[in-house]
Amino acid sequence: MQSITPKQFQLISSIAKEYWGLNLSERKMDLVCNRLAKFLTRSPYSSAEEYLDHLTQHADDEDRLVFFDILSTNVTSFFRERQHFDYLEREFYTPLARGTIALPGRRIRFWSAGCSTGCEPFSMAIHARESLPDIDKWDLKILATDLSNSAVANAKTGVYPEAMVSGLDPALVEKYFKRGSGGQAGMVRVTEQIRSMVSVARLNLMDDWPMKGPFDVIFCRNVMIYFDRATREKLVNRYCALLRPGGILAIGSSETLSGIDAPARSVAPSTYVK
Ligand SMILES: C[S@@+](CC[C@H](N)C(=O)[O-])C[C@H]1O[C@@H](n2cnc3c(N)ncnc32)[C@H](O)[C@@H]1O
């Protein structure tokens, strides 16, 4: 395994914090070493030192994004943390269908912030189709953003190993996924109908955001765990500024907003309303 010195780890941590808000504690040192070693074997750099020199002296944004991909964790799955979808069913789609929530222009906007390879926004789209009668009469759009080049590329194609849908209701798989054949055997692709509901874009959550909102629902799940408290507080306030009053913010089930000063009240585990 490629080893790095504490000083090199400090340098890596400071790059991660400065550009992407990532808070790499020393506990992450082995993980970083492992991933860096893997990268170096297929790179033109002969050592961590040479690569870090390049990163600090000559790197442009694209070079840095390669480094972000080395550091970031893209674990995700379809209908992960089901409780948020159940909450939406109860508190969003049912009142919407009954007319107790009225949305001007029948406009519904979702944002999956830190969408990884796309399972989260595609789950939102499938769930919307399953939950909202007459869905085509609504102007529903889902924005999906992530900083990782590889994750964004995957989300744009909507292609996954079959194993990733093996835990889903077979009826949903039949309806919303196409099985690959030939060179794509063993893979599934989200149908065009579902892909067309989702716009995928690269976005660093630390940068300015081009979108104006308002959003009805923002999912930022299992992303802020990598940020320190001050970064989380700033981010949650930025989400709240883009949510309509009554809009919903879902965070990962292992995360909390306790101690975070933001105009969002807790309504269910890891679920907040502006
Ligand atoms: C563990 S995944 C979570 C995916 C999905 N939200 C879920 O819960 O299944 C965390 C994602 O956050 C993204 N991420 C981390 N820091 C980011 C930043 N500063 N800007 C945008 N995305 C970021 C990573 O690239 C990664 O895809």
Side-chain angles (χ1 to χ4, degrees), residues 16 19-22 68-69 72-78 80-81 112-121 145-149 151 202-207 219-227 235 252 255:
Y19 289 97
W20 312 304
L22 303 179
F68 176 78
D69 259 353
S72 74
T73 298
N74 301 128
V75 176
T76 189
S77 54
F78 288 101
R80 184 182 193 184
E81 299 179 4
S112 164
C115 66
S116 186
T117 53
C119 299
E120 183 175 272
T145 66
D146 202 284
L147 182 59
S148 159
N149 272 334
R202 191 171 80 188
L203 179 74
N204 182 354
L205 291 169
M206 300 301 119
D207 287 351
F219 276 23
C220 182
R221 308 184 307 164
N222 308 300
V223 177
M224 292 189 283
I225 29 171
Y226 305 107
F227 304 155
L235 201 51
E255 305 170 69

Side-chain angles (χ1 to χ4, degrees), residues 211-272:
M211 50 289 181
K212 302 273 174 280
F215 288 97
D216 300 289
V217 176
I218 299 178
F219 276 23
C220 182
R221 308 184 307 164
N222 308 300
V223 177
M224 292 189 283
I225 29 171
Y226 305 107
F227 304 155
D228 64 17
R229 203 200 64 84
T231 308
R232 288 203 310 271
E233 183 161 291
K234 200 168 158 199
L235 201 51
V236 170
N237 276 282
R238 292 177 77 197
Y239 289 140
C240 288
L242 282 195
L243 279 171
R244 67 164 165 80
I248 297 160
L249 173 67
I251 63 174
S253 59
S254 66
E255 305 170 69
T256 172
L257 295 190
S258 94
I260 297 278
D261 184 15
R265 66 191 159 86
S266 166
V267 287
S270 59
T271 312
Y272 297 81

